[in-house]
Amino acid sequence: MKVMVQEVEGEGLPSLLGKNIEVWTGVYIYAGLLIGVNNTCIKLDNCHVVYETGNLDAKSYKDAQKMPMVHYIQTNNIISFGETSKLK
């Protein structure tokens, strides 16, 4: 089986710098402003732990609690991520 790998610039986490993102890990969902990305972690400002999303197409989270500090998340714990407009 032949596998084709193509690196695409401007994709992935670096493309979301300066935007509010939602990050799903094996345990928690985090949301915040992505202000840093490197090979081992991301850095979120205005970080929230999302304890209950509510309907996934809702305009805001049902229960998202703000963390009192900038927060780092190890990239090896990230299952999925994307831009969000659910933070106020």
Side-chain angles (χ1 to χ4, degrees):
M1 180 175 175
K2 186 175 183 180
V3 177
M4 301 292 289
V5 176
Q6 179 180 1
E7 187 172 326
V8 179
E9 286 200 35
E11 289 287 324
L13 283 166
S15 71
L16 297 172
L17 276 166
K19 296 180 180 177
N20 282 319
I21 66 167
E22 182 177 277
V23 179
W24 293 59
T25 69
V27 180
Y28 292 108
I29 302 169
Y30 298 94
L33 180 66
L34 183 62
I35 59 173
V37 176
N38 68 26
N39 291 335
T40 61
C41 62
I42 64 170
K43 186 177 182 181
L44 294 180
D45 195 11
N46 189 34
C47 187
H48 290 69
V49 178
V50 180
Y51 290 110
E52 192 172 354
T53 62
N55 291 336
L56 292 177
D57 61 352
K59 297 200 184 299
S60 62
Y61 298 111
K62 190 168 185 178
D63 182 9
Q65 298 185 21
K66 187 174 184 321
M67 300 180 79
M69 75 291 259
V70 169
H71 199 70
Y72 294 86
I73 300 167
Q74 291 183 303
T75 54
N76 63 354
N77 288 327
I78 296 174
I79 295 171
S80 68
F81 60 89
E83 190 171 358
T84 185
S85 60
K86 293 183 178 186
L87 286 180
K88 296 179 177 168

